[in-house]
């Protein structure tokens, strides 16, 4: 079995993780100093979101140099120290690859603006003439994922495509120079010792030939415009096969610790499991994010449908599961309560395959409300101040103390990357380490059990004990059984005939009654009775 097939990967958003130099912004040195938290949690890998030079029009995903390190985050030497520390702790390191677009400050785009229409420099991007008598209308009706047209006009009258913010011009992946340049980017980071890449917007690199109109359907939900059918083009797959060959054959750097298998993870917003499985064919990506699971409602029928569809899709490898990310509302808020978020965590971590955790998820952080004048997300401006965007999930982590900045930085709280709420003292790592019933303690216990009792085959579907119409979910993954009560009434779990003894619960049990919005793990192994602990959040 490959290391990534059942790995737990922790997403680290560097500007909001830990600050080492007191400027209020998290950095690579701060992340390096705090990697022990991730290792102690029980993760197998770290995915670090963009740390590259960026004007920050979109939280670092507008990149001006794909092989550099942002000055406010550190240096190339700081990145090397982060890599070495991660590997020393037994953690794999995955970095973001952002191939769909660059920053408008990227040398390529600045050259394209200066070179003018018809130039080779403009051929690296999607420049087109406008429609209408004077070319004053966009080339087609596409909408940006951030709202408004996906086209911006430049001084000489031409338009360029941007599926996201105007500061993120899209590259033309039919241009050989673009393809060659990104092969160089992959090789550069492989030589620096990374263990894989999370490929941003992996479904959208190639646009449909002729850039046809999308039609009125796209306007039903402009923020989901990236799911329109003229993306997810077949030309993507030969490209990913080339990249897979590169990862499989590129020599390991000196001193690398085996296994040397590098991975690619697709951020592919394709919700049809059969189409999504095309990205994870044996010679393409290793994994693809399972957004259908992240967006599933707290409903047993919907969750079971998504789980079954994810595990039965043809051609794919091990399934990924995730409840949150830097782009999503935190599960405590999205699902409606801390109890549901804790139960969902045990559900996710019991499923076969790999799991992705977003920083702060293990602390049970709710979505923060960022004041209007501190919002950074371009969604705020692009929506005319109707969509507050994703900043609420990107607020700096609380590490210790009873007031902001909660050990994140030595800077004044008013200078942090984003402001922290005033009531986050109970959520700090220090406070939760002292509480055996905390969310942090729950995650640590779950990951210990998961690692001690792995699924023999992480691609195999679990054995269901519940029926499709039941108000609860119950299944076994080898010796581990999980039951989740999604009914508003207590569930007498002892009457279900489930195998094993209780070892971990997401909330306090009431005798043989499993309260609503609570999950329970049972372990079916020989030997003496063993509980992970006692008290709130643990099995009694």
């Amino acid at each position: 079995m490959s290391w990534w097939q059942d790995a737990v990967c922790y997403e680290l958003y560097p500007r909001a993780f830990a600050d080492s130099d007191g400027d209020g912004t998290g950095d690579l040195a701060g992340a390096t100093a705090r990697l022990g938290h991730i290792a102690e949690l029980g993760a197998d890998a770290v995915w670090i979101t963009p740390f590259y030079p960026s004007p920050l029009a979109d939280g670092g995903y507008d990149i001006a140099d794909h092989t550099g390190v942002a000055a406010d985050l550190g240096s190339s030497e700081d990145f090397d120290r982060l890599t070495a520390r991660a590997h020393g702790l037994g953690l794999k390191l995955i970095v973001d690859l952002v191939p769909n677009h660059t920053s408008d400050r990227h040398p390529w785009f600045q050259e394209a603006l200066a070179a003018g229409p018809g130039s080779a420099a403009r051929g690296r991007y999607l420049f087109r003439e406008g429609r209408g008598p004077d070319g004053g209308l966009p080339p087609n009706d596409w909408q940006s994922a951030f709202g408004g047209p996906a086209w911006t006009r430049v001084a000489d009258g031409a338009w360029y495509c941007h599926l996201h913010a105007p500061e993120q011009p899209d590259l033309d992946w039919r241009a050989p120079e673009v393809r060659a340049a990104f092969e160089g980017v992959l090789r550069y980071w492989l030589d620096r010792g990374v263990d894989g890449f999370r490929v941003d917007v992996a479904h959208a690199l190639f646009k449909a030939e002729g850039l046809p109109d999308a039609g009125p359907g796209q306007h039903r939900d402009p923020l989901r415009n990236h799911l329109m059918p003229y993306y997810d083009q077949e030309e993507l797959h030969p490209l990913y096969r080339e990249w897979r060959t590169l990862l499989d054959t590129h020599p390991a750097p000196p001193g690398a610790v085996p296994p040397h298998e590098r991975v690619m993870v697709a951020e592919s917003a394709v919700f049809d499991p059969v189409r999504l499985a095309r990205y994870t064919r044996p010679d393409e990506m290793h994994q693809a994010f399972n957004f259908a699971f992240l967006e599933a409602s707290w409903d047993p029928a919907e969750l079971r449908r998504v789980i079954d569809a994810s595990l039965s899709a043809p051609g794919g490898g091990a399934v990924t599961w995730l409840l949150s990310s830097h782009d999503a509302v935190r599960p405590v808020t999205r699902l409606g309560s801390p109890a549901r978020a804790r139960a969902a965590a045990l559900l996710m971590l019991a499923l076969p395959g790999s799991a992705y955790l977003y920083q702060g998820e293990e602390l049970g952080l709710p979505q923060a409300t960022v004041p209007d004048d501190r919002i950074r997300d371009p969604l705020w401006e692009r929506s005319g101040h109707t969509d507050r965007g994703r900043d609420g999930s990107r607020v700096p982590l609380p590490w210790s103390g009873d007031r902001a900045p909660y050990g994140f930085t030595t800077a004044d709280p008013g200078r942090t990357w984003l402001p922290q709420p005033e009531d986050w003292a109970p959520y700090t790592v220090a406070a939760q380490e002292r509480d055996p019933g905390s969310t942090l303690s729950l995650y640590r216990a779950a990951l210990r059990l998961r690692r001690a009792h792995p699924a023999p085959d992480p691609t195999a579907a679990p054995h269901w004990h519940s029926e499709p119409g039941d108000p609860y979910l119950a299944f076994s993954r080898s010796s581990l059984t999980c039951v989740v009560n999604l009914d508003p009434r207590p569930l007498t779990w002892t009457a279900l005939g489930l195998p094993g003894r209780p070892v971990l619960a997401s909330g306090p049990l009431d005798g043989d009654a499993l309260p609503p919005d609570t999950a329970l793990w049972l372990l079916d192994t020989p030997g003496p009775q063993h509980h992970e602990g006692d008290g709130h959040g643990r099995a009694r």
Side-chain angles (χ1 to χ4, degrees), residues 170-441:
D170 281 26
L171 291 162
D172 186 347
W173 270 90
R174 296 187 178 95
E177 189 175 357
V178 171
R179 205 174 185 118
F182 273 87
E183 180 178 330
V185 172
L186 288 165
R187 291 185 184 277
Y188 177 85
W189 292 111
L190 291 172
D191 287 340
R192 300 299 286 261
V194 307
D195 300 292
F197 302 91
R198 176 263 194 185
V199 182
D200 185 64
V201 197
H203 59 289
L205 274 58
F206 289 92
K207 282 68 174 178
E209 286 280 9
L211 308 183
D213 281 345
Q218 71 169 319
H219 302 293
R220 296 172 191 158
D221 187 353
L223 299 184
R224 294 290 291 276
N225 183 54
H226 57 292
L227 303 185
M228 294 302 294
Y230 45 79
Y231 305 141
D232 189 28
Q233 300 292 302
E234 288 302 323
E235 288 171 274
L236 290 164
H237 300 287
L239 174 68
Y240 295 148
R241 284 193 285 273
E242 290 177 15
W243 289 1
R244 176 61 177 268
T245 299
L246 173 59
L247 264 65
D248 288 347
T249 60
H250 196 79
V257 178
H260 300 142
E261 187 177 10
R262 280 70 165 257
V263 302
M264 283 192 299
V265 185
E267 186 216 19
S268 182
V270 177
F271 282 71
D272 178 350
V274 175
R275 292 195 68 82
L276 184 62
R278 292 153 54 244
Y279 290 80
T280 57
R281 287 178 286 207
D283 59 349
E284 295 190 36
M285 300 277 188
H286 297 77
Q287 296 178 327
F289 284 160
N290 190 348
F291 289 112
F293 184 76
L294 183 150
E295 296 195 1
S297 63
W298 191 244
D299 174 78
E302 183 176 355
L303 285 166
R304 176 161 180 158
R305 178 187 60 76
V306 169
I307 291 168
D308 285 342
S310 301
L311 289 164
S312 62
V319 175
T320 64
W321 311 102
L322 67 161
L323 293 171
S324 61
S325 78
H326 66 281
D327 285 331
V329 174
R330 288 195 176 276
V332 167
T333 302
R334 177 173 55 84
L335 296 177
S337 71
R340 286 182 176 181
R342 290 164 63 100
L346 289 196
L347 167 65
M348 175 181 72
L349 293 172
L351 289 166
S354 63
Y356 282 76
L357 313 179
Y358 175 52
Q359 65 179 48
E361 180 183 331
E362 78 279 15
L363 304 178
L365 296 182
Q367 189 82 348
T369 299
V370 177
D372 293 1
D373 62 348
R374 295 291 302 277
I375 293 176
R376 294 174 173 269
D377 195 324
L379 277 168
W380 177 239
E381 294 296 335
R382 296 279 289 179
S383 68
H385 295 180
T386 61
D387 188 327
R388 304 189 69 82
R390 301 155 294 174
D391 286 348
S393 63
R394 302 174 181 184
V395 171
L397 287 191
W399 291 96
S400 60
D402 58 4
R403 60 179 61 87
Y406 304 112
F408 166 75
T409 180
T410 58
D412 182 87
R415 293 178 55 209
T416 54
W417 160 251
L418 287 168
Q420 298 162 305
E422 295 180 358
D423 59 353
W424 269 18
Y427 294 105
T428 67
V429 173
Q432 296 201 38
E433 284 182 325
R434 299 189 295 268
D435 179 6
S438 69
T439 301
L440 177 59
S441 296

Side-chain angles (χ1 to χ4, degrees), residues 54-55 58 63 106 233 317 332 379 419 430 452 468 491:
S54 169
D58 181 23
I63 296 172
H106 192 286
Q233 300 292 302
V332 167
L379 277 168
L491 172 69

